[in-house]
Amino acid sequence: MPPQLKAEMNVMPKVVQGDLESLPPEARDFIETNAKLCQPENIHICDGSEEENKKILDIMVEQGMIKKLSKYENCWLALTDPRDVARVESKTVIITQEQRDTTPMPKTGTSQLGRWMSEEDFEKAFNTRFPGCMKGRTMYVIPFSMGPIGSPLSKIGIELTDSPYVVASMRIMTRMGTDVLKALGNGEFVKCLHSVGCPLPLKEPLINNWPCNPELTLIAHLPDRREIISFGSGYGGNSLLGKKCFALRIASRLAKEEGWLAEHMLILGITNPEGKKKYFAAAFPSACGKTNLAMMNPTLPGWKIECVGDDIAWMKFDEQGNLRAINPENGFFGVAPGTSVKTNPNAIKTIFKNTIFTNVAETSDGGVYWEGIDEPLTPGVTVTSWKNKDWTPDNGEPCAHPNSRFCSPAKQCPIMDPAWESPEGVPIEGIIFGGRRPAGVPLVYEAFNWKHGVFIGAAMRSEATAAAEHKGKIIMHDPFAMRPFFGYNFGKYLAHWLSMAQRPAAKLPRIFHVNWFRKDSQGKFLWPGFGENSRVLEWMFNRIEGKASAKPTAIGYIPTDSALNLKGLKDVNLTELFDISKEFWEKEVEEIKQYFEVQVNADLPYEIERELLALEMRIKQL
């Protein structure tokens, strides 16, 4: 290290808000060590107040990072550098002593179930990136709670960042500020360090006033040290470290050690016309209508759906054997394109105040616009695309980035469940897996038992999406919708799920698989979807109650011909929707077998192998 850097690294920056001395020793040490390393000009300890939030937004306006959307109340638009628009799986790594702690050792090629980096390589990468990386900027200290403050299921983190966008977004997505520090006391916390990697003065001009360093982007997780270290990207999933990094990758590892589950699942409450209520958790890959399901307006008279969360569930069995779930988040970080009054009326009612929009288009009257918004433009109103160019519908390219987002407070959603912030969590009675499968997979089927259900989750496949950098429409394996988010070896993760059946007194939820996206030979959807999906939820609800009838098939239980309530629906071809083709499923079994053999290899639990063999035998008998 050059000598002048050493001298500089011992100077503590000025604390412009908050009091370092009043912090718990471990928190203070974490801040001081990284402040000396990253050399920001100032340190700002966030208190989470409204006043602070206004200041942060003003700073961003001044820097040209966001602009106010005059059409709505307290809404803002950020346009990013076009090179920083999504999670970057190729640069997202987990650091453990042995590779096998992070991913199974694939038979051939590289693992698709996570990316491992050695401790030595990480050390080098860290030392080339972080020294002096915050020069000229403010280091914000964000104390945050994942889950309601003080809940036995919640966990605390402290994120250090040089991005005001992260501060404003984390205030929406988590419980953040002084109350969290009070709750922390001298307890444990996850250490999160983030830098956009653009020290001042800049070496080259910014694009869209959006600081980032795509060439050196790295999002690293150190589960043994309970640390997350992210460099070079200001985009949500890479910089709001409470989100996927903590709530899934680090939390899934904590969950394994502590005997609970951290899952990429929405949580919803459903109440039948008699006033009886059940809670479901559901795992879908991106772009399978997860937020739409979590906020659904059911078309069935007398049924009610309420939202606990749209993305992440932390679940733990209580002493009575109920699987209790909390939504660790405090906001929605939803994909904007495709969100409309038709697809998700409750999201539309949520997102037009106190929201930060990123990479959507802007209308000349101070509003937002995107593909699938289903709102005709007022005559005379023009659109500026996310690339900051004039846009018209015949431009041939989208006005909003496919992965553009809204970041909105959850409490604004008109159908939030009364228990969404309940510290003990809500009792889960059903778990739903699903994917986007244009062919072969029925509308709904139920697992024969818990082991079979875990197998169904492990065998999930879906058309690939825009949330990460994959292109094109290919059917990808996405076990448990967790493929990009496993915090440890997937084989061990499956063993952990299977072990839930051994919990004393555990009331295991029923497990289902759904596919709203099956098409006919003309490429038309066979099922109307959206609010009509309540009909499928009704069947599941009644299955748990022991009321709905089902018939066994090779892949699981499906509704008997009259069990699905189709009242008022026209032209639904049940035969096609529930067809189980021998030819299709033989190929499916082959694909799954191949995937398990190559990707999970020696770490595949024996029970899952046995479930696959049993499925193969049942398909043979079709």
Side-chain angles (χ1 to χ4, degrees):
M1 195 184 289
Q4 81 277 8
L5 204 57
K6 250 191 182 149
E8 274 179 19
M9 279 177 78
N10 287 322
V11 181
M12 268 302 285
K14 190 170 145 211
V15 179
V16 292
Q17 179 176 301
D19 176 19
L20 266 181
E21 299 309 308
S22 68
L23 297 180
E26 199 183 345
R28 192 168 70 224
D29 182 53
F30 171 55
I31 296 161
E32 287 174 349
T33 306
N34 285 298
K36 285 173 183 167
L37 172 75
C38 303
Q39 300 164 45
E41 196 164 303
N42 304 310
I43 293 176
H44 172 124
I45 300 166
C46 296
D47 61 17
S49 66
E50 191 50 61
E51 189 187 355
E52 173 185 76
N53 187 46
K54 284 198 171 81
K55 279 184 192 158
I56 296 287
L57 293 166
D58 287 346
I59 287 167
M60 286 196 281
V61 170
E62 209 175 294
Q63 293 175 358
M65 262 186 106
I66 61 170
K67 64 191 287 191
K68 195 165 180 15
L69 293 161
S70 57
K71 195 171 175 178
Y72 319 117
E73 183 191 331
N74 192 30
C75 287
W76 309 84
L77 174 63
L79 299 179
T80 71
D81 183 315
R83 298 168 300 170
D84 189 22
V85 292
R87 283 184 294 102
V88 195
E89 284 175 23
S90 54
K91 296 178 177 190
T92 302
V93 297
I94 293 175
I95 290 96
T96 47
Q97 273 185 318
E98 303 294 324
Q99 180 171 351
R100 202 166 166 184
D101 293 333
T102 293
T103 64
M105 302 305 283
K107 211 169 191 174
T108 55
T110 54
S111 177
Q112 294 167 17
L113 291 160
R115 206 167 263 268
W116 177 74
M117 187 183 254
S118 72
E119 290 170 333
E120 301 72 37
D121 286 351
F122 175 69
E123 211 53 42
K124 278 184 217 141
F126 182 83
N127 292 332
T128 57
R129 285 166 174 79
F130 279 91
C133 68
M134 293 188 184
K135 276 186 179 172
R137 297 189 181 276
T138 296
M139 174 191 272
Y140 297 97
V141 177
I142 307 174
F144 65 96
S145 175
M146 298 308 291
I149 296 173
S151 158
L153 295 170
S154 296
K155 300 278 178 194
I156 285 174
I158 295 178
E159 176 164 359
L160 310 179
T161 180
D162 52 8
S163 163
Y165 173 87
V166 169
V167 180
S169 304
M170 284 290 280
R171 185 172 182 266
I172 296 171
M173 291 307 299
T174 68
R175 286 96 178 157
M176 179 267 258
T178 311
D179 292 349
V180 177
L181 285 174
K182 283 185 196 142
L184 173 63
N186 285 315
E188 288 182 356
F189 63 93
V190 171
K191 296 171 178 160
C192 306
L193 173 62
H194 168 256
S195 173
V196 290
C198 290
L200 299 173
L202 292 168
K203 292 196 175 73
E204 51 190 70
L206 298 179
I207 298 173
N208 284 339
N209 298 311
W210 181 266
C212 61
N213 190 339
E215 284 73 38
L216 289 177
T217 292
L218 185 67
I219 299 98
H221 306 73
L222 295 86
D224 297 320
R225 292 181 3 202
R226 311 289 192 244
E227 286 181 30
I228 302 161
I229 294 172
S230 170
F231 186 91
S233 168
Y235 166 79
N238 308 323
S239 68
L240 313 181
L241 300 183
K243 197 153 179 59
K244 309 295 196 198
C245 299
F246 181 162
L248 290 177
R249 296 190 194 97
I250 294 292
S252 62
R253 170 67 190 268
L254 292 173
K256 178 181 182 284
E257 291 170 18
E258 297 169 7
W260 50 284
L261 300 165
E263 299 299 328
H264 187 207
M265 291 182 176
L266 65 91
I267 308 166
L268 61 81
I270 177 163
T271 308
N272 73 4
E274 288 73 59
K276 193 153 197 191
K277 184 168 199 173
K278 295 189 185 302
Y279 289 95
F280 286 82
F284 294 92
S286 312
C288 290
K290 199 159 157 223
T291 302
N292 296 350
L293 181 62
M295 299 185 192
M296 183 211 290
N297 268 350
T299 51
L300 285 180
W303 286 79
K304 183 162 80 170
I305 285 179
E306 289 164 302
C307 176
V308 176
D310 80 322
D311 197 35
I312 295 169
W314 286 0
M315 304 186 283
K316 187 178 189 175
F317 283 101
D318 66 13
E319 280 163 11
Q320 288 71 48
N322 298 304
L323 185 60
R324 293 270 173 184
I326 62 166
N327 165 15
E329 300 191 294
N330 196 36
F332 301 122
F333 187 66
V335 173
T339 305
S340 71
V341 172
K342 182 189 169 217
T343 61
N344 195 336
N346 290 312
I348 294 290
K349 288 175 190 158
T350 304
I351 63 181
F352 292 119
K353 60 177 187 216
N354 307 317
T355 292
I356 299 170
F357 291 96
T358 303
N359 289 339
V360 300
E362 185 190 3
T363 58
S364 56
D365 59 350
V368 290
Y369 208 68
W370 52 73
E371 277 57 43
I373 197 168
D374 263 359
E375 288 286 319
L377 284 169
T378 314
V381 169
T382 58
V383 176
T384 305
S385 78
W386 77 280
K387 292 181 176 171
N388 229 339
K389 293 180 182 147
D390 292 341
W391 182 89
T392 59
D394 41 17
N395 264 27
E397 63 172 16
C399 65
H401 187 274
N403 193 41
S404 55
R405 299 279 171 162
F406 53 81
C407 180
S408 305
K411 63 172 187 271
Q412 292 179 183
C413 175
I415 59 155
M416 284 314 276
D417 194 272
W420 86 275
E421 295 192 277
S422 139
E424 66 277 5
V426 298
I428 299 295
E429 293 186 61
I431 290 172
I432 304 169
F433 295 119
R436 185 178 273 272
R437 299 301 303 269
V441 179
L443 176 65
V444 59
Y445 59 98
E446 181 190 337
F448 295 123
N449 52 44
W450 182 257
K451 272 183 201 160
H452 181 226
V454 174
F455 165 78
I456 288 169
M460 272 171 71
R461 301 173 70 218
S462 188
E463 265 187 357
T465 76
E469 74 262 57
H470 301 287
K471 302 277 188 288
K473 301 255 179 185
I474 45 165
I475 304 281
M476 278 178 72
H477 291 269
D478 194 348
F480 287 78
M482 281 283 284
R483 185 193 52 75
F485 309 121
F486 292 117
Y488 63 100
N489 180 312
F490 171 55
K492 302 282 181 282
Y493 167 96
L494 286 174
H496 181 56
W497 263 79
L498 290 165
S499 76
M500 294 297 148
Q502 270 65 65
R503 304 259 138 181
K507 297 172 191 160
L508 296 170
R510 299 269 188 119
I511 296 178
F512 301 90
H513 187 284
V514 300
N515 172 30
W516 320 127
F517 302 99
R518 194 167 184 173
K519 293 177 176 175
D520 64 15
S521 52
Q522 266 73 60
K524 285 198 177 72
F525 287 119
L526 286 164
W527 181 249
F530 305 114
E532 303 297 358
N533 294 337
S534 55
R535 297 167 186 275
V536 176
L537 293 179
E538 177 192 37
W539 179 74
M540 294 177 191
F541 187 105
N542 290 332
R543 284 293 294 162
I544 296 165
E545 287 280 275
K547 288 177 184 165
S549 52
K551 54 187 180 192
T553 70
I555 62 171
Y557 296 111
I558 64 169
T560 53
D561 294 347
S562 59
L564 205 58
N565 175 355
L566 298 178
K567 217 189 228 156
L569 266 195
K570 288 186 182 69
D571 307 327
V572 169
N573 185 334
L574 283 182
T575 314
E576 255 189 283
L577 261 177
F578 285 97
D579 177 56
I580 295 164
S581 139
K582 183 172 185 174
E583 192 189 354
F584 173 88
W585 279 93
E586 279 175 343
K587 281 196 194 114
E588 190 74 2
V589 165
E590 241 355 275
E591 289 278 355
I592 297 164
K593 187 190 281 183
Q594 187 64 20
Y595 185 70
F596 286 170
E597 266 177 26
V598 173
Q599 286 295 323
V600 200
N601 199 1
D603 289 316
L604 187 71
Y606 158 71
E607 296 92 329
I608 298 295
E609 205 172 328
R610 226 171 43 186
E611 286 296 336
L612 180 62
L613 276 171
L615 174 64
E616 193 171 19
M617 295 308 291
R618 295 192 301 267
I619 298 295
K620 273 203 175 107
Q621 285 156 18
L622 279 177

